[in-house]
């Protein structure tokens, strides 16, 4: 509350006034000829002195009488516990007028240019006490009106809310170190609206705004602006805390966040991304609008009140973002952290507008710092993703030579990241410029390979370069993994399957725009080469059995029987072994079967036709059609054996 001592005029003012009067008397004594202008000024001075003399005689008693009336009105409300503004507009208006009258009486007493005796000083003190009592009550009424007339905040009605159904559990796609873990074939991304439209709501009932403004104006005129602002800030801080509660944004320390298990933290991050946008773009925009409605006449008080009221809640939200950013850089966190970065970046212009100039600089600076840290976390997490692939190890070969979980994980991970292409290019470009040594060790070799193929251009984005680095690491791991198969043919099946999967993922998704057609052509050639290498490794020792050696006669018949027998044994072994192998892609499987059929069945049909008159039918164990049918069982993932042509 105001200190009455600082309001009473100091004695120095009286001494100055006396000195000025003495100077005027001396000047008049030495000047016998007065100009018309001097005469007019002296006439005005005489008139004012005459008025002051009247006040001196009669004004003080009148002021005292009016002050007693005002005091009675103010005190009468102190005995009543009910709130004045709840009693109706007439009661409120009468109290405001009484408080304003106390303020005016103080001004009149301060304006008396006469020596203050003890009674006048006491009268001034009394007026200040009455005003202070009124201001205390108005402060209470002001806070009461703010609290009792809050409007319910309903975030589910915000037009930019992301659907709760978009939130998914990523626990099934975050591990790849164990071949037994199944990896989802598709990642999903939360939908984060990019609309920049503000959605202003009335946080306090519109019909009480004029009352709040009247109270604020009177308190400011009475030099109780600090008390008014303090009441406003306290009331609105509570409202902002309630808003965060509605948004389910609980207060969490950095330690709380760092200790949280991933499934729970993942849910918290998604909720935070959704809530931050609503809080800034709707609630804070509405909060600032409210402060402007009430304190608009008192710049920059309206801004400082908004900043003080909202700072704690805003920093609570930013504290969570900071805690996530300094946590471990696990690859499964990257998508959520990218969502965090993008919503923070999207709201930059809003924050700059809400917390402008020096008054809001502390919040603005902290916001930019959290944005920077989350960006660093994105880069660190992407690098950890690369490192995790590079350090991948497995103790056992992958059954059947199918598509490795790691391959699915990496390609689906990259495909999902294409939703963040612009952001990743920005973050990776800035980082690579600042710290070229941070690039993966294999990046140069990957780029040299692309350059030799003629596909490297200056237009390669940072993201494209990083993606090629990741797939280069993956291919290196696949070749390491293939060596775990003892059968060379299965090594090629495994590499064919995985490289084909990579090529198809790129070809049939947005990845094509990043990798380019040259990359696709190159990897199509690679898996086709492995298919040919498989055929060569499997059938190169079998097909020669179906070639004639040029001999004839009885000895050749015996040798002919042996060749048929050996061919059947070899075919049966291939059938038994390779029916257990797997080619998941139906088109790739059919293409390889057709290629095998063209070579094997045609050779067998020709050999059988040429020698069918030399040996009896009992030595012909399988017809060409039988073998053609048996080839359809290859690569189905279920081992089978051939015992006779009629039982499979």
């Amino acid at each position: 509350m105001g200190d009455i001592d600082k309001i009473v005029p100091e004695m120095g003012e009286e001494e100055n006034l006396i000195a000025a009067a003495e100077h005027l008397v001396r000047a008049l004594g030495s000047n016998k000829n007065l100009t018309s202008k001097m005469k007019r000024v002296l006439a005005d001075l005489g008139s004012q002195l005459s008025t002051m003399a009247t006040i001196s005689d009669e004004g003080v008693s009148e002021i005292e009488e009016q002050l007693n009336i005002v005091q009675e009105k103010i005190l009468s409300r102190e005995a009543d516990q009910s709130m004045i503004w709840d009693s109706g507009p007439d009661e409120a208006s009468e109290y405001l007028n009484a408080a304003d009258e106390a303020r005016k009486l103080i001004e009149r007493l301060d304006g008396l240019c006469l020596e203050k005796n003890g009674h006048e000083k006491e009268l001034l003190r009394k007026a200040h006490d009455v005003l202070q009592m009124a201001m205390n009550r108005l402060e209470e009424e002001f806070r009461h009106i703010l609290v009792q007339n809050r409007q319910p905040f309903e975030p589910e009605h915000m037009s930019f809310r992301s659907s709760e159904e978009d939130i998914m559990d990523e626990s099934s796609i975050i591990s790849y170190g164990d071949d037994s873990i199944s990896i989802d074939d598709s990642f999903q991304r939360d939908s984060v609206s990019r609309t920049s439209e503000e959605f202003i709501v009335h946080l306090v009932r519109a019909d009480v705004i004029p009352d709040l403004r009247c109270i604020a104006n009177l308190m400011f005129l009475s030099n109780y602006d600090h008390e008014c602002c303090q009441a406003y800030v306290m009331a609105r801080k509570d409202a902002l805390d309630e808003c965060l509660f509605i948004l389910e944004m609980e207060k969490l320390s950095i330690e709380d966040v760092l200790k949280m298990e991933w499934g729970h933290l993942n849910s918290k991050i998604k909720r935070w991304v959704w809530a931050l946008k609503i809080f800034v773009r709707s609630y804070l925009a509405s909060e600032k609008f409210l402060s402007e409605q009430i304190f608009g006449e008192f710049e920059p008080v309206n801004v400082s009140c908004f900043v003080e009221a909202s700072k704690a809640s805003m920093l609570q939200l930013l504290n969570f973002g900071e805690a996530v950013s300094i946590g471990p850089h696990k690859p499964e966190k990257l998508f959520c952290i990218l969502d965090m970065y993008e919503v923070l970046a999207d709201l930059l212009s809003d924050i700059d507008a809400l917390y402008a100039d020096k008054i809001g600089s502390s919040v603005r600076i902290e916001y930019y710092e959290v944005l920077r840290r989350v960006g660093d976390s994105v880069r660190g997490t992407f690098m950890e993703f690369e490192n995790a692939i590079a350090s991948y190890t497995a103790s056992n070969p992958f059954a059947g030579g199918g598509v490795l979980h790691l391959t699915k994980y990496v390609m689906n991970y990259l495909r999902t990241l294409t939703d963040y292409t612009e952001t990743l290019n920005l973050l990776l470009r800035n980082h690579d410029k600042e710290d070229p040594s941070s690039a993966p060790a294999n990046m140069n070799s990957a780029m040299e390979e692309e350059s030799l193929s003629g596909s490297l251009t200056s237009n390669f984005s940072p993201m494209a370069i990083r993606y090629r680095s990741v797939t280069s690491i993956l291919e290196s791991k696949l070749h390491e993994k293939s060596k775990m198969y003892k059968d060379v043919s299965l090594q090629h099946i495994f590499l064919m399957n995985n490289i084909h999967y990579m090529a198809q993922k790129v070809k049939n998704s947005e990845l094509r725009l990043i990798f380019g057609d040259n990359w696709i052509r190159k990897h199509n050639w690679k898996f086709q080469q492995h298919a040919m290498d498989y055929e060569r490794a499997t059938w190169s020792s079998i097909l020669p059995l179906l070639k004639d050696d040029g001999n004839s006669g009885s000895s050749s018949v015996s040798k002919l029987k042996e060749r048929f027998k050996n061919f059947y044994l070899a075919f049966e072994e291939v059938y038994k072994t390779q029916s257990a192998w797997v080619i998941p892609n139906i088109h790739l499987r059919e293409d390889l079967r057709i290629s095998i059929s063209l070579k094997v069945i045609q050779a067998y049909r020709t050999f059988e036709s040429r020698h069918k008159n030399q040996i009896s039918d009992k030595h012909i164990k399988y017809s060409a059609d039988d073998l053609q049918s048996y080839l359809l069982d290859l690569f189905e993932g279920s081992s089978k054996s051939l015992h006779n042509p009629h039982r499979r």
Side-chain angles (χ1 to χ4, degrees):
M1 290 304 170
D3 185 354
I4 195 166
D5 291 332
K6 69 182 180 183
I7 299 174
V8 177
E10 297 180 0
M11 291 302 297
E13 297 179 10
E14 182 177 340
E15 293 171 354
N16 290 337
L17 184 60
I18 293 172
E22 290 174 345
H23 177 74
L24 180 60
V25 170
R26 287 195 298 272
L28 288 172
S30 62
N31 191 342
K32 304 300 182 182
N33 298 316
L34 298 178
T35 65
S36 59
K37 183 177 180 180
M38 294 173 64
K39 291 178 181 178
R40 186 168 62 252
V41 170
L42 289 172
D44 290 341
L45 178 59
S47 175
Q48 185 157 349
L49 289 172
S50 176
T51 301
M52 289 172 61
T54 303
I55 292 176
S56 168
D57 296 334
E58 303 173 0
V60 174
S61 60
E62 179 192 343
I63 290 174
E64 184 174 9
E65 182 181 347
Q66 291 176 353
L67 182 58
N68 289 334
I69 296 172
V70 169
Q71 183 183 39
E72 184 179 350
K73 289 180 180 179
I74 298 300
L75 286 173
S76 67
R77 291 307 310 192
E78 292 305 304
D80 189 347
Q81 296 299 315
S82 64
M83 304 306 293
I84 299 171
W85 263 257
D86 291 344
S87 302
D90 291 339
E91 292 277 347
S93 178
E94 184 179 349
Y95 192 85
L96 275 176
N97 289 336
D100 190 40
E101 184 65 26
R103 178 188 66 80
K104 290 176 180 177
L105 289 173
I106 291 173
E107 287 183 354
R108 289 179 66 187
L109 286 168
D110 281 338
L112 291 177
C113 295
L114 62 143
E115 183 178 352
K116 300 290 190 300
N117 58 33
H119 177 67
E120 290 168 341
K121 267 193 170 182
E122 187 59 35
L123 197 61
L124 184 59
R125 247 180 229 282
K126 179 180 177 180
H128 277 289
D129 289 343
V130 171
L131 182 64
Q132 184 176 16
M133 190 183 305
M135 291 299 112
N136 286 341
R137 185 56 180 262
L138 287 178
E139 180 183 345
E140 185 181 348
E141 295 281 339
F142 186 76
R143 186 186 299 112
H144 176 77
I145 295 171
L146 279 171
V147 172
Q148 293 301 314
N149 292 279
R150 283 184 198 166
Q151 293 279 70
F153 182 65
E154 300 174 338
E156 62 271 16
H157 295 155
M158 300 299 101
S159 60
F160 43 72
R161 180 188 184 189
S162 61
S163 173
E164 291 291 334
E165 282 130 11
D166 290 338
I167 296 178
M168 63 171 290
D169 178 11
E170 293 177 2
S171 59
S172 62
I173 55 175
I174 62 174
S175 300
Y176 51 82
D178 186 343
D179 284 343
S180 66
I181 297 175
S182 69
I183 306 295
D184 234 342
D185 220 24
S186 63
F187 288 72
Q188 295 181 19
R189 178 192 177 181
D190 269 357
S191 64
V192 179
S193 170
R194 292 293 177 266
T195 176
S196 60
E197 180 181 350
E198 285 187 354
F199 190 69
I200 301 293
V201 295
H202 290 290
L203 302 177
V204 173
R205 281 174 44 199
D207 59 313
V208 302
I209 297 297
D211 293 329
L212 291 168
R213 191 160 49 233
C214 283
I215 295 174
N217 287 347
L218 181 54
M219 292 186 74
F220 271 65
L221 287 173
S222 304
N223 295 321
Y224 280 78
D225 48 308
H226 174 72
E227 288 76 9
C228 183
C229 291
Q230 190 175 45
Y232 178 85
V233 168
M234 289 177 64
R236 294 315 302 166
K237 270 186 177 180
D238 291 342
L240 284 155
D241 286 342
E242 183 179 320
C243 172
L244 291 184
F245 177 79
I246 293 170
L247 294 172
E248 299 179 25
M249 289 288 101
E250 59 186 300
K251 290 184 179 179
L252 297 169
S253 68
I254 291 178
E255 291 74 18
D256 292 334
V257 175
L258 294 178
K259 291 177 182 177
M260 208 173 287
E261 62 179 33
W262 166 241
H264 189 43
L265 178 59
N266 181 28
S267 176
K268 291 288 184 186
I269 293 173
K270 291 174 183 294
R271 168 64 60 171
W272 182 88
V273 168
W274 168 72
L276 182 66
K277 190 154 199 175
I278 290 175
F279 188 75
V280 171
R281 194 152 279 166
S282 177
Y283 200 92
L284 288 188
S286 302
E287 190 69 46
K288 190 169 187 182
F289 177 65
L290 176 63
S291 69
E292 288 170 351
Q293 285 183 297
I294 298 172
F295 301 113
E297 297 179 19
F298 305 103
E299 289 282 358
V301 172
N302 63 324
V303 178
S304 63
C305 283
F306 161 75
V307 171
E308 287 302 313
S310 64
K311 182 190 296 185
S313 296
M314 193 65 221
L315 293 181
Q316 177 184 330
L317 289 171
L318 293 177
N319 185 65
F320 178 83
E322 180 183 359
V324 173
S325 73
I326 64 178
H329 295 153
K330 296 181 179 179
E332 62 266 25
K333 290 170 59 176
L334 182 55
F335 304 102
C336 281
I337 299 174
L338 275 164
D339 283 335
M340 292 178 71
Y341 182 87
E342 288 196 346
V343 77
L344 284 166
D346 188 40
L347 294 171
L348 267 181
S349 59
D350 299 84
I351 294 298
D352 285 340
L354 290 168
Y355 298 98
D357 303 325
K358 186 177 181 179
I359 296 175
S361 61
S362 61
V363 176
R364 197 170 64 250
I365 290 170
E366 182 63 22
Y367 190 94
Y368 274 81
E369 178 62 17
V370 171
L371 176 67
R372 183 191 66 78
R373 290 185 179 183
V374 173
D376 289 343
S377 182
V378 168
R379 287 186 287 259
T381 305
F382 189 86
M383 291 170 66
E384 185 58 33
F385 167 63
E386 293 176 319
N387 295 335
I389 301 168
S391 60
Y392 170 81
T393 57
S395 56
N396 298 309
F398 190 64
V403 179
L404 191 63
H405 296 318
L406 178 66
T407 305
K408 293 181 180 179
Y409 177 86
V410 170
M411 297 310 296
N412 284 301
Y413 196 100
L414 294 180
R415 187 184 66 182
T416 305
L417 282 179
T418 58
D419 287 343
Y420 304 91
T421 297
E422 184 177 344
T423 300
L424 276 174
N425 273 330
L426 172 67
L427 292 173
L428 294 175
R429 179 182 297 112
N430 292 343
H431 188 59
D432 291 343
K433 286 179 180 177
E434 295 168 6
D435 185 11
S437 64
S438 66
N442 68 302
M443 184 183 291
N444 289 337
S445 60
M447 290 300 98
E448 287 172 8
E449 188 178 353
E450 293 291 343
S451 180
L452 290 173
S453 68
S455 63
L456 185 62
T457 71
S458 58
N459 293 326
F460 268 14
S461 68
M463 192 171 172
I465 295 172
R466 290 280 181 161
Y467 271 31
R468 283 165 172 76
S469 171
V470 168
T471 53
S472 178
I473 297 172
L474 175 59
E475 287 184 59
S476 175
K477 287 296 168 181
L478 291 173
H479 279 279
E480 287 180 19
K481 182 83 171 176
S482 71
K483 302 302 181 185
M484 302 180 74
Y485 297 106
K486 296 179 180 179
D487 192 320
V488 175
S489 297
L490 186 53
Q491 291 180 12
H492 291 299
I493 288 292
F494 173 76
L495 290 170
M496 177 195 71
N497 277 329
N498 283 270
I499 295 175
H500 176 266
Y501 183 89
M502 293 169 65
Q504 290 299 110
K505 279 293 177 183
V506 172
K507 178 182 177 182
N508 298 323
S509 72
E510 299 85 350
L511 289 170
R512 183 170 196 157
L513 299 175
I514 298 173
F515 281 93
D517 290 340
N518 283 337
W519 188 96
I520 296 173
R521 282 192 292 269
K522 175 182 173 183
H523 285 75
N524 282 342
W525 177 87
K526 282 185 177 182
F527 81 73
Q528 289 165 2
Q529 186 64 47
H530 284 298
M532 290 187 289
D533 290 342
Y534 151 78
E535 291 183 18
R536 191 177 299 113
T538 298
W539 300 101
S540 60
S541 60
I542 299 175
L543 289 179
L545 296 173
L546 300 178
K547 290 184 180 179
D548 291 326
D549 56 8
N551 294 326
S552 59
S554 60
S555 61
S556 64
V557 171
S558 174
K559 192 177 285 188
L560 191 60
K561 293 177 182 179
E562 187 68 20
R563 288 170 67 186
F564 268 103
K565 179 183 178 181
N566 289 339
F567 173 79
Y568 293 142
L569 288 173
F571 186 90
E572 288 169 357
E573 181 59 30
V574 169
Y575 179 87
K576 178 182 179 181
T577 302
Q578 298 192 12
S579 59
W581 297 356
V582 61
I583 300 178
N585 185 274
I586 186 171
H587 300 295
L588 182 61
R589 187 167 64 241
E590 287 302 313
D591 287 346
L592 190 57
R593 285 171 177 171
I594 290 170
S595 179
I596 295 170
S597 179
L598 288 173
K599 294 177 178 65
V600 176
I601 302 305
Q602 184 60 42
Y604 179 78
R605 198 183 297 277
T606 301
F607 186 77
E608 180 192 32
S609 175
R610 184 175 296 146
H611 300 292
K612 64 181 179 179
N613 295 326
Q614 295 176 262
I615 57 175
S616 63
D617 291 343
K618 67 179 182 179
H619 296 294
I620 306 298
K621 191 174 183 180
Y622 305 110
S623 69
D625 290 340
D626 289 333
L627 296 179
Q628 178 78 55
S629 178
Y630 297 146
L631 287 178
L632 297 178
D633 290 335
L634 298 185
F635 317 122
E636 291 286 349
S638 178
S639 180
K640 299 179 180 179
S641 298
L642 288 175
H643 301 291
N644 60 61
H646 305 293
R647 183 177 178 184
R648 293 165 55 187

